[in-house]
Amino acid sequence: MTEEKDKTPNPSRRQFIKSSAIAAAGFMIVPRHVLGGKGFIAPSDKLLIAGVGAGGKGQSDIANFYKSGKAEIAFLCDVDDRRSAKSRSDFPKAKYYKDWREMFDKEHKHFDAVSVSTPDHNHAIITYNAMQLNKHVYVQKPLTHDIWEARMLTEAAKKYKVVTQMGNQGSSNDGTRLMSEWYDADLIGDVHTVYCWTNRPVWPQGIAWPPPQQNIPKELDWDLWLGTAPKKDYVDKLVPFNWRGWWDYGTGALGDMGCHLVEAPFRVLGIQYAKDVQASVGSVYVDEFKEGHFPESCPPSSHITLTFPKTEKTKGDVTLHWMDGGIQPERPVELLASEDFGGEEGNGTLFIGTKGKMFASTYSDAPTLLPKALTKDAKAPQKWARVPGGANGHYAQWVEGCIAGYGKTELSSSFDKAGPLTEALLMANLAVRGHELRGGRVKLVWDNQAMKVTNFDAVNQYIKRDYREGFVLKA
């Protein structure tokens, strides 16, 4: 969130240059970084984007960048021709690759920025390589698969001075800004407890690894899809969606929805790195009194408790409860019996303060004071500038930030914000995995500077994983 600033456009950016040499080379628009230099006049305001991951969420991301009116989709990359078909049809002039490494090697002089929308396990390696090429980056949530990767990307964004944004579009919504203003106006007092909950997973979890299949779809490059993950035989229904429930590729319900639901507490309360975490997880029984043991799969449900140290905006520690698998907190007593509670699609965030409570749905939509009747007459000074278009404006905000250049504008989810948020969620997953290793509940004590758990070393193996040959991430 950023305080209101002068947004008068730079007149020089409205000037265009025609270049016959560039046209002869087959490029309608010159990448901005090619011209460079102080005071240069760009031939266009358009940002040239290479999209890695062109199907599913990648497809909608790419389309929204283009809708900003200030971006061109220059290149597309996807390991699955089936998933990328719509984007390739929508952007026929964009050259298509299957291997992002080949695209970066051959085309890096011909684009300005990279959109990364792949399974979680490949986010960091693609993003870091793009930043090393001085490309601006937009990365789907969660920012990374591992804690070390999140810290590394946060530091790399500063080192390479590129414009960054994570794809938790609710961070650009009015809701998180309005709740910040309510809180700063002392409408609910000092917040000491927060609940975040989701109906995820909406894919299978707590199950055995399926049997291998012989027939890999001809449109899919399975080895490229695996990327940094260990080499395994192809299995059905992992691609394109159910990978989220497997630790080698996904980060479970926390990774899928945590960046949307926990973002508001981070912004409203100023919390960052947790100091301890504990978890309880749902059990799976495969027979009478016979509990299933499926360490490769995330559990079907969990309740995780994180403790965040006192901040400038709180009077003491903040306890944050995360609930997934359909588990929800107790209904607040301020709600009337007939009033709904639970948030849109089973997702929500509840703040409990010394004077009152407030909650919101997915993406911080529909912020509400409790009792609900208080919301209509709530008064608080507007402190934070709104993002035009709210959540939908998240994409244009990044495009415009890239055009303006590093450090010129503040973005809703730049890596200095997205990195600590992602780390906290992945630390919570350490407690989930610790439950599996220990066979019970243990509180993990976190040393943020050393980036490790100090009282249960077995979980530290998940802070930074080993990468497969050919896809090693070196920072």
Side-chain angles (χ1 to χ4, degrees):
M1 293 174 294
T2 175
E3 296 192 36
E4 295 188 78
K5 298 177 181 179
D6 181 12
K7 296 183 179 180
T8 305
N10 183 345
S12 68
R13 303 197 58 77
R14 302 302 174 191
Q15 301 182 45
F16 293 82
I17 296 177
K18 295 181 180 178
S19 173
S20 58
I22 296 298
F27 294 95
M28 297 301 294
I29 302 167
V30 182
R32 304 182 57 79
H33 70 273
V34 172
L35 298 179
K38 184 178 179 180
F40 79 91
I41 301 174
S44 173
D45 278 344
K46 298 293 180 73
L47 183 77
L48 295 189
I49 297 174
V52 182
K57 190 59 184 169
Q59 175 187 317
S60 64
D61 287 344
I62 290 165
N64 276 296
F65 298 139
Y66 183 75
K67 286 178 184 176
S68 73
K70 298 180 180 180
E72 293 288 347
I73 310 306
F75 298 93
L76 294 170
C77 181
D78 203 294
V79 300
D80 192 338
D81 294 343
R82 300 167 300 177
R83 297 285 286 171
S84 63
K86 179 68 164 56
S87 291
R88 287 185 287 127
S89 174
D90 290 344
F91 303 102
K93 293 182 180 179
K95 190 173 181 180
Y96 179 63
Y97 285 86
K98 275 202 168 184
D99 191 333
W100 62 269
R101 297 169 301 178
E102 180 185 4
M103 182 178 72
F104 282 11
D105 183 55
K106 292 182 177 179
E107 310 290 358
H108 64 272
K109 294 182 179 180
H110 304 138
F111 58 85
D112 306 303
V114 177
S115 168
V116 180
S117 186
T118 67
D120 302 349
H121 67 292
N122 286 323
H123 281 187
I125 190 170
I126 299 169
T127 303
Y128 187 73
N129 276 269
M131 288 196 287
Q132 283 185 309
L133 294 170
N134 297 115
K135 308 302 177 186
H136 308 300
V137 284
Y138 183 102
V139 186
Q140 258 310 317
K141 50 77 189 171
L143 183 62
T144 63
H145 182 275
D146 300 340
I147 295 172
W148 174 81
E149 294 174 336
R151 185 74 60 92
M152 181 267 297
L153 290 190
T154 302
E155 294 172 351
K158 300 174 184 176
K159 175 181 178 181
Y160 293 108
K161 294 181 168 38
V162 293
V163 178
T164 58
Q165 184 94 298
M166 183 170 71
N168 56 328
Q169 60 268 35
S171 62
S172 286
N173 248 347
D174 292 356
T176 187
R177 289 156 177 77
L178 180 58
M179 288 190 291
S180 291
E181 290 157 359
W182 285 348
Y183 185 66
D184 291 348
D186 201 34
L187 298 189
I188 65 169
D190 177 58
V191 167
H192 49 80
T193 306
V194 178
Y195 286 89
C196 301
W197 63 95
T198 181
N199 64 340
R200 265 61 164 187
V202 292
W203 53 83
Q205 286 191 185
I207 59 174
W209 182 253
Q213 302 295 317
Q214 298 300 318
N215 298 319
I216 302 175
K218 64 181 186 302
E219 301 91 347
L220 172 67
D221 190 315
W222 174 242
D223 188 71
L224 286 177
W225 188 93
L226 287 172
T228 62
K231 182 70 173 178
K232 285 188 177 181
D233 291 332
Y234 174 77
V235 296
D236 279 341
K237 296 185 178 179
L238 190 69
V239 179
F241 190 72
N242 290 346
W243 53 265
R244 289 167 173 80
W246 302 99
W247 290 120
D248 276 345
Y249 320 111
T251 47
L254 262 168
D256 187 60
M257 289 302 296
C259 291
H260 292 310
L261 298 168
V262 184
E263 186 273 337
F266 263 64
R267 301 300 177 254
V268 172
L269 306 177
I271 59 177
Q272 282 202 329
Y273 297 103
K275 64 180 184 180
D276 60 58
V277 60
Q278 56 184 301
S280 60
V281 303
S283 300
V284 177
Y285 281 79
V286 296
D287 205 343
E288 296 175 6
F289 295 98
K290 184 179 180 181
E291 189 171 359
H293 179 67
F294 308 118
E296 294 176 301
S297 177
C298 307
S301 60
S302 66
H303 176 193
I304 301 164
T305 307
L306 296 126
T307 306
F308 291 90
K310 177 184 179 298
T311 73
E312 293 181 355
K313 301 185 72 175
T314 67
K315 293 181 179 180
D317 290 353
V318 175
T319 301
L320 189 147
H321 296 267
W322 169 266
M323 299 173 168
D324 59 46
I327 303 172
Q328 294 186 1
E330 183 180 359
R331 282 173 55 89
V333 296
E334 294 86 352
L335 282 173
L336 301 177
S338 59
E339 290 180 323
D340 290 333
F341 178 65
E344 179 187 2
E345 297 180 349
N347 305 305
T349 302
L350 172 68
F351 295 80
I352 300 177
T354 53
K355 293 182 180 179
K357 301 171 185 175
M358 62 184 179
F359 77 95
S361 185
T362 317
Y363 305 153
S364 295
D365 282 337
T368 306
L369 290 168
L370 297 178
K372 287 187 174 182
L374 297 176
T375 306
K376 182 179 178 181
D377 297 322
K379 290 181 172 58
Q382 181 173 325
K383 183 178 180 181
W384 306 107
R386 285 3 183 203
V387 176
N392 290 331
H394 195 64
Y395 309 93
Q397 185 194 58
W398 175 69
V399 170
E400 291 168 2
C402 294
I403 291 172
Y406 177 78
K408 299 297 178 60
T409 59
E410 188 173 350
L411 276 68
S412 299
S413 197
S414 50
F415 287 3
D416 59 310
K417 304 179 182 72
L421 172 60
T422 300
E423 281 194 42
L425 300 174
L426 298 177
M427 180 187 159
N429 268 341
L430 290 183
V432 174
R433 305 198 77 174
H435 195 285
E436 176 73 34
L437 290 170
R438 191 181 180 96
R441 189 170 183 174
V442 61
K443 179 187 283 188
L444 305 182
V445 180
W446 181 248
D447 183 332
N448 185 59
Q449 185 172 357
M451 207 161 38
K452 71 176 184 178
V453 171
T454 61
N455 64 323
F456 186 36
D457 189 58
V459 298
N460 287 322
Q461 64 183 297
Y462 303 123
I463 292 171
K464 180 184 178 184
R465 65 203 152 98
D466 294 327
Y467 299 96
R468 189 162 65 98
E469 185 177 353
F471 297 90
V472 176
L473 177 56
K474 296 179 181 179

